Structure formats: structure tokens, C-alpha cells
PDB file of all heavy atoms in Angstrom:
ATOM      1  N   LYS A   1      89.154  71.590  94.324  1.00 98.00           N
ATOM      2  CA  LYS A   1      90.399  72.276  93.979  1.00 98.00           C
ATOM      3  C   LYS A   1      90.120  73.698  93.493  1.00 98.00           C
ATOM      4  O   LYS A   1      89.046  73.996  92.950  1.00 98.00           O
ATOM      5  CB  LYS A   1      91.161  71.498  92.904  1.00 98.00           C
ATOM      6  CG  LYS A   1      90.476  71.450  91.557  1.00 98.00           C
ATOM      7  CD  LYS A   1      91.266  70.604  90.572  1.00 98.00           C
ATOM      8  CE  LYS A   1      90.550  70.504  89.228  1.00 98.00           C
ATOM      9  NZ  LYS A   1      91.277  69.632  88.265  1.00 98.00           N
ATOM     10  N   GLU A   2      91.084  74.569  93.713  1.00 98.00           N
ATOM     11  CA  GLU A   2      90.962  75.960  93.294  1.00 98.00           C
ATOM     12  C   GLU A   2      92.072  76.311  92.316  1.00 98.00           C
ATOM     13  O   GLU A   2      93.169  75.727  92.360  1.00 98.00           O
ATOM     14  CB  GLU A   2      91.030  76.887  94.510  1.00 98.00           C
ATOM     15  CG  GLU A   2      89.881  76.694  95.484  1.00 98.00           C
ATOM     16  CD  GLU A   2      89.916  77.656  96.661  1.00 98.00           C
ATOM     17  OE1 GLU A   2      90.838  78.507  96.717  1.00 98.00           O
ATOM     18  OE2 GLU A   2      89.027  77.551  97.519  1.00 98.00           O
ATOM     19  N   ALA A   3      91.786  77.266  91.458  1.00 98.00           N
ATOM     20  CA  ALA A   3      92.839  77.820  90.608  1.00 98.00           C
ATOM     21  C   ALA A   3      93.822  78.579  91.484  1.00 98.00           C
ATOM     22  O   ALA A   3      93.456  79.142  92.526  1.00 98.00           O
ATOM     23  CB  ALA A   3      92.231  78.749  89.565  1.00 98.00           C
ATOM     24  N   ASP A   4      95.071  78.596  91.078  1.00 98.00           N
ATOM     25  CA  ASP A   4      96.087  79.294  91.859  1.00 98.00           C
ATOM     26  C   ASP A   4      95.744  80.776  91.956  1.00 98.00           C
ATOM     27  O   ASP A   4      95.622  81.461  90.939  1.00 98.00           O
ATOM     28  CB  ASP A   4      97.457  79.103  91.201  1.00 98.00           C
ATOM     29  CG  ASP A   4      98.582  79.651  92.058  1.00 98.00           C
ATOM     30  OD1 ASP A   4      98.432  79.684  93.289  1.00 98.00           O
ATOM     31  OD2 ASP A   4      99.618  80.051  91.488  1.00 98.00           O
ATOM     32  N   GLY A   5      95.562  81.251  93.194  1.00 96.00           N
ATOM     33  CA  GLY A   5      95.293  82.666  93.410  1.00 96.00           C
ATOM     34  C   GLY A   5      93.836  83.040  93.495  1.00 96.00           C
ATOM     35  O   GLY A   5      93.507  84.211  93.745  1.00 96.00           O
ATOM     36  N   SER A   6      92.923  82.082  93.314  1.00 94.00           N
ATOM     37  CA  SER A   6      91.510  82.424  93.290  1.00 94.00           C
ATOM     38  C   SER A   6      90.668  81.289  93.857  1.00 94.00           C
ATOM     39  O   SER A   6      90.849  80.129  93.480  1.00 94.00           O
ATOM     40  CB  SER A   6      91.058  82.714  91.856  1.00 94.00           C
ATOM     41  OG  SER A   6      89.664  82.941  91.781  1.00 94.00           O
ATOM     42  N   GLY A   7      89.751  81.638  94.771  1.00 98.00           N
ATOM     43  CA  GLY A   7      88.854  80.627  95.317  1.00 98.00           C
ATOM     44  C   GLY A   7      88.493  80.920  96.751  1.00 98.00           C
ATOM     45  O   GLY A   7      89.163  81.711  97.436  1.00 98.00           O
ATOM     46  N   PRO A   8      87.446  80.296  97.263  1.00 98.00           N
ATOM     47  CA  PRO A   8      86.963  80.601  98.617  1.00 98.00           C
ATOM     48  C   PRO A   8      87.952  80.263  99.727  1.00 98.00           C
ATOM     49  O   PRO A   8      88.011  80.975 100.738  1.00 98.00           O
ATOM     50  CB  PRO A   8      85.683  79.774  98.743  1.00 98.00           C
ATOM     51  CG  PRO A   8      85.751  78.753  97.656  1.00 98.00           C
ATOM     52  CD  PRO A   8      86.529  79.378  96.548  1.00 98.00           C
ATOM     53  N   ILE A   9      88.734  79.197  99.572  1.00 98.00           N
ATOM     54  CA  ILE A   9      89.711  78.856 100.618  1.00 98.00           C
ATOM     55  C   ILE A   9      90.802  79.907 100.661  1.00 98.00           C
ATOM     56  O   ILE A   9      91.181  80.409 101.734  1.00 98.00           O
ATOM     57  CB  ILE A   9      90.298  77.452 100.389  1.00 98.00           C
ATOM     58  CG1 ILE A   9      89.194  76.388 100.422  1.00 98.00           C
ATOM     59  CG2 ILE A   9      91.350  77.132 101.458  1.00 98.00           C
ATOM     60  CD1 ILE A   9      89.665  75.005 100.011  1.00 98.00           C
ATOM     61  N   GLN A  10      91.318  80.280  99.495  1.00 98.00           N
ATOM     62  CA  GLN A  10      92.366  81.298  99.443  1.00 98.00           C
ATOM     63  C   GLN A  10      91.842  82.658  99.895  1.00 98.00           C
ATOM     64  O   GLN A  10      92.553  83.409 100.577  1.00 98.00           O
ATOM     65  CB  GLN A  10      92.944  81.368  98.038  1.00 98.00           C
ATOM     66  CG  GLN A  10      93.698  80.098  97.651  1.00 98.00           C
ATOM     67  CD  GLN A  10      94.030  80.030  96.183  1.00 98.00           C
ATOM     68  OE1 GLN A  10      95.074  80.531  95.756  1.00 98.00           O
ATOM     69  NE2 GLN A  10      93.156  79.417  95.392  1.00 98.00           N
ATOM     70  N   ASP A  11      90.607  82.984  99.543  1.00 98.00           N
ATOM     71  CA  ASP A  11      90.013  84.246 100.003  1.00 98.00           C
ATOM     72  C   ASP A  11      89.899  84.261 101.519  1.00 98.00           C
ATOM     73  O   ASP A  11      90.158  85.285 102.171  1.00 98.00           O
ATOM     74  CB  ASP A  11      88.631  84.440  99.385  1.00 98.00           C
ATOM     75  CG  ASP A  11      88.673  84.703  97.885  1.00 98.00           C
ATOM     76  OD1 ASP A  11      89.767  84.993  97.363  1.00 98.00           O
ATOM     77  OD2 ASP A  11      87.610  84.588  97.244  1.00 98.00           O
ATOM     78  N   PHE A  12      89.509  83.120 102.097  1.00 98.00           N
ATOM     79  CA  PHE A  12      89.419  83.005 103.555  1.00 98.00           C
ATOM     80  C   PHE A  12      90.769  83.259 104.208  1.00 98.00           C
ATOM     81  O   PHE A  12      90.877  83.993 105.199  1.00 98.00           O
ATOM     82  CB  PHE A  12      88.898  81.619 103.932  1.00 98.00           C
ATOM     83  CG  PHE A  12      89.211  81.215 105.348  1.00 98.00           C
ATOM     84  CD1 PHE A  12      88.441  81.665 106.403  1.00 98.00           C
ATOM     85  CD2 PHE A  12      90.294  80.379 105.614  1.00 98.00           C
ATOM     86  CE1 PHE A  12      88.745  81.292 107.715  1.00 98.00           C
ATOM     87  CE2 PHE A  12      90.600  80.011 106.916  1.00 98.00           C
ATOM     88  CZ  PHE A  12      89.823  80.469 107.974  1.00 98.00           C
ATOM     89  N   LEU A  13      91.812  82.661 103.682  1.00 98.00           N
ATOM     90  CA  LEU A  13      93.142  82.808 104.271  1.00 98.00           C
ATOM     91  C   LEU A  13      93.614  84.254 104.231  1.00 98.00           C
ATOM     92  O   LEU A  13      94.125  84.784 105.221  1.00 98.00           O
ATOM     93  CB  LEU A  13      94.137  81.899 103.549  1.00 98.00           C
ATOM     94  CG  LEU A  13      93.900  80.394 103.725  1.00 98.00           C
ATOM     95  CD1 LEU A  13      94.749  79.600 102.736  1.00 98.00           C
ATOM     96  CD2 LEU A  13      94.209  79.957 105.157  1.00 98.00           C
ATOM     97  N   ALA A  14      93.444  84.899 103.090  1.00 98.00           N
ATOM     98  CA  ALA A  14      93.862  86.290 102.953  1.00 98.00           C
ATOM     99  C   ALA A  14      93.091  87.190 103.915  1.00 98.00           C
ATOM    100  O   ALA A  14      93.668  88.039 104.609  1.00 98.00           O
ATOM    101  CB  ALA A  14      93.680  86.748 101.512  1.00 98.00           C
ATOM    102  N   ALA A  15      91.775  87.003 103.965  1.00 98.00           N
ATOM    103  CA  ALA A  15      90.936  87.842 104.822  1.00 98.00           C
ATOM    104  C   ALA A  15      91.249  87.619 106.296  1.00 98.00           C
ATOM    105  O   ALA A  15      91.274  88.570 107.097  1.00 98.00           O
ATOM    106  CB  ALA A  15      89.463  87.565 104.539  1.00 98.00           C
ATOM    107  N   THR A  16      91.491  86.373 106.683  1.00 98.00           N
ATOM    108  CA  THR A  16      91.758  86.056 108.086  1.00 98.00           C
ATOM    109  C   THR A  16      93.106  86.604 108.531  1.00 98.00           C
ATOM    110  O   THR A  16      93.235  87.141 109.643  1.00 98.00           O
ATOM    111  CB  THR A  16      91.690  84.535 108.314  1.00 98.00           C
ATOM    112  OG1 THR A  16      90.417  84.053 107.890  1.00 98.00           O
ATOM    113  CG2 THR A  16      91.891  84.191 109.779  1.00 98.00           C
ATOM    114  N   ALA A  17      94.108  86.487 107.677  1.00 98.00           N
ATOM    115  CA  ALA A  17      95.415  87.059 108.003  1.00 98.00           C
ATOM    116  C   ALA A  17      95.304  88.568 108.192  1.00 98.00           C
ATOM    117  O   ALA A  17      95.870  89.146 109.130  1.00 98.00           O
ATOM    118  CB  ALA A  17      96.412  86.727 106.898  1.00 98.00           C
ATOM    119  N   ARG A  18      94.573  89.210 107.300  1.00 98.00           N
ATOM    120  CA  ARG A  18      94.391  90.662 107.373  1.00 98.00           C
ATOM    121  C   ARG A  18      93.577  91.054 108.601  1.00 98.00           C
ATOM    122  O   ARG A  18      93.921  92.008 109.314  1.00 98.00           O
ATOM    123  CB  ARG A  18      93.714  91.131 106.085  1.00 98.00           C
ATOM    124  CG  ARG A  18      93.598  92.629 105.926  1.00 98.00           C
ATOM    125  CD  ARG A  18      93.245  92.984 104.489  1.00 98.00           C
ATOM    126  NE  ARG A  18      92.051  92.278 104.017  1.00 98.00           N
ATOM    127  CZ  ARG A  18      92.055  91.331 103.074  1.00 98.00           C
ATOM    128  NH1 ARG A  18      93.196  90.976 102.496  1.00 98.00           N
ATOM    129  NH2 ARG A  18      90.936  90.757 102.689  1.00 98.00           N
ATOM    130  N   GLN A  19      92.517  90.337 108.876  1.00 98.00           N
ATOM    131  CA  GLN A  19      91.645  90.659 110.005  1.00 98.00           C
ATOM    132  C   GLN A  19      92.380  90.624 111.333  1.00 98.00           C
ATOM    133  O   GLN A  19      92.199  91.508 112.190  1.00 98.00           O
ATOM    134  CB  GLN A  19      90.464  89.682 110.040  1.00 98.00           C
ATOM    135  CG  GLN A  19      89.537  89.869 111.242  1.00 98.00           C
ATOM    136  CD  GLN A  19      88.455  88.795 111.299  1.00 98.00           C
ATOM    137  OE1 GLN A  19      88.340  87.953 110.405  1.00 98.00           O
ATOM    138  NE2 GLN A  19      87.658  88.818 112.347  1.00 98.00           N
ATOM    139  N   HIS A  20      93.228  89.597 111.510  1.00 98.00           N
ATOM    140  CA  HIS A  20      93.904  89.417 112.800  1.00 98.00           C
ATOM    141  C   HIS A  20      95.347  89.926 112.794  1.00 98.00           C
ATOM    142  O   HIS A  20      96.035  89.814 113.814  1.00 98.00           O
ATOM    143  CB  HIS A  20      93.872  87.942 113.189  1.00 98.00           C
ATOM    144  CG  HIS A  20      92.493  87.411 113.394  1.00 98.00           C
ATOM    145  ND1 HIS A  20      91.682  87.813 114.429  1.00 98.00           N
ATOM    146  CD2 HIS A  20      91.751  86.522 112.659  1.00 98.00           C
ATOM    147  CE1 HIS A  20      90.518  87.187 114.351  1.00 98.00           C
ATOM    148  NE2 HIS A  20      90.531  86.405 113.288  1.00 98.00           N
ATOM    149  N   ALA A  21      95.785  90.469 111.661  1.00 98.00           N
ATOM    150  CA  ALA A  21      97.151  90.987 111.529  1.00 98.00           C
ATOM    151  C   ALA A  21      98.183  89.934 111.934  1.00 98.00           C
ATOM    152  O   ALA A  21      99.101  90.200 112.715  1.00 98.00           O
ATOM    153  CB  ALA A  21      97.328  92.260 112.351  1.00 98.00           C
ATOM    154  N   VAL A  22      97.999  88.727 111.384  1.00 98.00           N
ATOM    155  CA  VAL A  22      98.929  87.635 111.647  1.00 98.00           C
ATOM    156  C   VAL A  22      99.449  87.077 110.324  1.00 98.00           C
ATOM    157  O   VAL A  22      98.794  87.193 109.283  1.00 98.00           O
ATOM    158  CB  VAL A  22      98.267  86.494 112.445  1.00 98.00           C
ATOM    159  CG1 VAL A  22      97.850  86.978 113.818  1.00 98.00           C
ATOM    160  CG2 VAL A  22      97.077  85.896 111.692  1.00 98.00           C
ATOM    161  N   TRP A  23     100.618  86.471 110.378  1.00 98.00           N
ATOM    162  CA  TRP A  23     101.106  85.675 109.259  1.00 98.00           C
ATOM    163  C   TRP A  23     100.494  84.283 109.385  1.00 98.00           C
ATOM    164  O   TRP A  23     100.464  83.715 110.485  1.00 98.00           O
ATOM    165  CB  TRP A  23     102.629  85.576 109.297  1.00 98.00           C
ATOM    166  CG  TRP A  23     103.326  86.801 108.768  1.00 98.00           C
ATOM    167  CD1 TRP A  23     103.275  88.068 109.284  1.00 98.00           C
ATOM    168  CD2 TRP A  23     104.195  86.858 107.626  1.00 98.00           C
ATOM    169  NE1 TRP A  23     104.056  88.905 108.536  1.00 98.00           N
ATOM    170  CE2 TRP A  23     104.639  88.198 107.513  1.00 98.00           C
ATOM    171  CE3 TRP A  23     104.646  85.915 106.709  1.00 98.00           C
ATOM    172  CZ2 TRP A  23     105.507  88.616 106.514  1.00 98.00           C
ATOM    173  CZ3 TRP A  23     105.522  86.317 105.713  1.00 98.00           C
ATOM    174  CH2 TRP A  23     105.937  87.659 105.604  1.00 98.00           C
ATOM    175  N   ILE A  24     100.022  83.761 108.272  1.00 99.00           N
ATOM    176  CA  ILE A  24      99.437  82.428 108.254  1.00 99.00           C
ATOM    177  C   ILE A  24     100.212  81.549 107.285  1.00 99.00           C
ATOM    178  O   ILE A  24     100.424  81.922 106.128  1.00 99.00           O
ATOM    179  CB  ILE A  24      97.953  82.462 107.823  1.00 99.00           C
ATOM    180  CG1 ILE A  24      97.104  83.218 108.847  1.00 99.00           C
ATOM    181  CG2 ILE A  24      97.416  81.042 107.646  1.00 99.00           C
ATOM    182  CD1 ILE A  24      95.649  83.373 108.437  1.00 99.00           C
ATOM    183  N   ILE A  25     100.660  80.398 107.775  1.00 98.00           N
ATOM    184  CA  ILE A  25     101.185  79.348 106.904  1.00 98.00           C
ATOM    185  C   ILE A  25     100.116  78.265 106.869  1.00 98.00           C
ATOM    186  O   ILE A  25      99.820  77.643 107.879  1.00 98.00           O
ATOM    187  CB  ILE A  25     102.528  78.805 107.408  1.00 98.00           C
ATOM    188  CG1 ILE A  25     103.558  79.942 107.461  1.00 98.00           C
ATOM    189  CG2 ILE A  25     103.022  77.674 106.502  1.00 98.00           C
ATOM    190  CD1 ILE A  25     104.920  79.533 107.983  1.00 98.00           C
ATOM    191  N   ALA A  26      99.530  78.108 105.688  1.00 98.00           N
ATOM    192  CA  ALA A  26      98.272  77.355 105.577  1.00 98.00           C
ATOM    193  C   ALA A  26      98.511  75.938 105.104  1.00 98.00           C
ATOM    194  O   ALA A  26      98.335  75.616 103.930  1.00 98.00           O
ATOM    195  CB  ALA A  26      97.306  78.078 104.644  1.00 98.00           C
ATOM    196  N   GLY A  27      98.913  75.101 106.034  1.00 96.00           N
ATOM    197  CA  GLY A  27      99.022  73.649 105.869  1.00 96.00           C
ATOM    198  C   GLY A  27      99.073  73.204 104.430  1.00 96.00           C
ATOM    199  O   GLY A  27     100.003  73.524 103.702  1.00 96.00           O
ATOM    200  N   THR A  28      98.047  72.541 103.957  1.00 97.00           N
ATOM    201  CA  THR A  28      97.899  72.297 102.524  1.00 97.00           C
ATOM    202  C   THR A  28      96.441  72.447 102.135  1.00 97.00           C
ATOM    203  O   THR A  28      95.531  72.189 102.929  1.00 97.00           O
ATOM    204  CB  THR A  28      98.346  70.876 102.103  1.00 97.00           C
ATOM    205  OG1 THR A  28      97.555  69.897 102.786  1.00 97.00           O
ATOM    206  CG2 THR A  28      99.815  70.658 102.358  1.00 97.00           C
ATOM    207  N   MET A  29      96.264  72.859 100.886  1.00 98.00           N
ATOM    208  CA  MET A  29      94.945  72.927 100.272  1.00 98.00           C
ATOM    209  C   MET A  29      95.087  72.490  98.818  1.00 98.00           C
ATOM    210  O   MET A  29      96.182  72.550  98.250  1.00 98.00           O
ATOM    211  CB  MET A  29      94.368  74.329 100.351  1.00 98.00           C
ATOM    212  CG  MET A  29      95.185  75.392  99.656  1.00 98.00           C
ATOM    213  SD  MET A  29      94.196  76.841  99.263  1.00 98.00           S
ATOM    214  CE  MET A  29      93.103  76.182  98.002  1.00 98.00           C
ATOM    215  N   PRO A  30      94.000  72.008  98.186  1.00 98.00           N
ATOM    216  CA  PRO A  30      94.104  71.507  96.813  1.00 98.00           C
ATOM    217  C   PRO A  30      94.078  72.627  95.779  1.00 98.00           C
ATOM    218  O   PRO A  30      93.103  73.359  95.655  1.00 98.00           O
ATOM    219  CB  PRO A  30      92.875  70.596  96.679  1.00 98.00           C
ATOM    220  CG  PRO A  30      91.895  71.127  97.669  1.00 98.00           C
ATOM    221  CD  PRO A  30      92.683  71.727  98.787  1.00 98.00           C
ATOM    222  N   ILE A  31      95.185  72.761  95.055  1.00 98.00           N
ATOM    223  CA  ILE A  31      95.323  73.720  93.955  1.00 98.00           C
ATOM    224  C   ILE A  31      95.395  72.930  92.647  1.00 98.00           C
ATOM    225  O   ILE A  31      95.997  71.845  92.600  1.00 98.00           O
ATOM    226  CB  ILE A  31      96.588  74.579  94.126  1.00 98.00           C
ATOM    227  CG1 ILE A  31      96.461  75.473  95.367  1.00 98.00           C
ATOM    228  CG2 ILE A  31      96.847  75.423  92.889  1.00 98.00           C
ATOM    229  CD1 ILE A  31      95.511  76.635  95.239  1.00 98.00           C
ATOM    230  N   ALA A  32      94.800  73.470  91.597  1.00 98.00           N
ATOM    231  CA  ALA A  32      94.768  72.791  90.307  1.00 98.00           C
ATOM    232  C   ALA A  32      96.170  72.394  89.856  1.00 98.00           C
ATOM    233  O   ALA A  32      97.130  73.163  89.982  1.00 98.00           O
ATOM    234  CB  ALA A  32      94.117  73.682  89.256  1.00 98.00           C
ATOM    235  N   ALA A  33      96.282  71.175  89.325  1.00 97.00           N
ATOM    236  CA  ALA A  33      97.550  70.634  88.836  1.00 97.00           C
ATOM    237  C   ALA A  33      97.540  70.608  87.313  1.00 97.00           C
ATOM    238  O   ALA A  33      96.531  70.908  86.665  1.00 97.00           O
ATOM    239  CB  ALA A  33      97.746  69.221  89.387  1.00 97.00           C
ATOM    240  N   GLN A  34      98.669  70.226  86.734  1.00 95.00           N
ATOM    241  CA  GLN A  34      98.718  70.055  85.289  1.00 95.00           C
ATOM    242  C   GLN A  34      97.806  68.921  84.851  1.00 95.00           C
ATOM    243  O   GLN A  34      97.110  69.025  83.845  1.00 95.00           O
ATOM    244  CB  GLN A  34     100.159  69.798  84.839  1.00 95.00           C
ATOM    245  CG  GLN A  34     101.069  71.007  84.996  1.00 95.00           C
ATOM    246  CD  GLN A  34     102.474  70.742  84.488  1.00 95.00           C
ATOM    247  OE1 GLN A  34     102.845  69.601  84.216  1.00 95.00           O
ATOM    248  NE2 GLN A  34     103.266  71.791  84.380  1.00 95.00           N
ATOM    249  N   ALA A  35      97.795  67.846  85.622  1.00 94.00           N
ATOM    250  CA  ALA A  35      96.902  66.725  85.337  1.00 94.00           C
ATOM    251  C   ALA A  35      95.510  67.056  85.864  1.00 94.00           C
ATOM    252  O   ALA A  35      95.337  67.383  87.039  1.00 94.00           O
ATOM    253  CB  ALA A  35      97.431  65.455  85.998  1.00 94.00           C
ATOM    254  N   GLU A  36      94.505  66.961  84.995  1.00 93.00           N
ATOM    255  CA  GLU A  36      93.150  67.375  85.351  1.00 93.00           C
ATOM    256  C   GLU A  36      92.587  66.569  86.512  1.00 93.00           C
ATOM    257  O   GLU A  36      91.812  67.085  87.332  1.00 93.00           O
ATOM    258  CB  GLU A  36      92.240  67.211  84.127  1.00 93.00           C
ATOM    259  CG  GLU A  36      90.823  67.717  84.333  1.00 93.00           C
ATOM    260  CD  GLU A  36      90.745  69.221  84.543  1.00 93.00           C
ATOM    261  OE1 GLU A  36      91.668  69.936  84.080  1.00 93.00           O
ATOM    262  OE2 GLU A  36      89.789  69.679  85.186  1.00 93.00           O
ATOM    263  N   GLU A  37      92.979  65.294  86.627  1.00 95.00           N
ATOM    264  CA  GLU A  37      92.413  64.422  87.647  1.00 95.00           C
ATOM    265  C   GLU A  37      93.196  64.465  88.966  1.00 95.00           C
ATOM    266  O   GLU A  37      92.924  63.682  89.872  1.00 95.00           O
ATOM    267  CB  GLU A  37      92.376  62.984  87.124  1.00 95.00           C
ATOM    268  CG  GLU A  37      93.717  62.280  87.024  1.00 95.00           C
ATOM    269  CD  GLU A  37      94.546  62.656  85.783  1.00 95.00           C
ATOM    270  OE1 GLU A  37      94.101  63.566  85.042  1.00 95.00           O
ATOM    271  OE2 GLU A  37      95.612  62.048  85.563  1.00 95.00           O
TER     272      GLU A  37
END
């Protein structure tokens, strides 16, 4: 899981959208929740 706004998956998405000049809707990825587990 990644913190909201920071992490390798989110960095990949931002960079890839910018590289190819496309809008990306990124399925789902695990972001930290209120519950630690």
C-alpha cells in the first residue's frame, strides 16, 4: 500500500500519462486506509 499522493505506483502513473500525453484512469491500487490492516 502507498500513502495517498506518494509512492512508486502513483509515480509510474503520473510519469506515464505525461510521457504519452494521455489521460489514465488507473483501475485500482492499494492506498492506505484508516484501518492499519
Side-chain angles (χ1 to χ4, degrees):
K1 67 183 178 182
E2 296 182 1
D4 187 28
S6 175
I9 299 172
Q10 293 168 88
D11 291 346
F12 160 81
L13 294 168
T16 304
R18 187 166 54 248
Q19 176 185 356
H20 297 293
V22 296
W23 281 63
I24 295 176
I25 300 178
T28 60
M29 60 159 292
I31 294 287
Q34 291 182 348
E36 185 65 25
E37 72 281 5

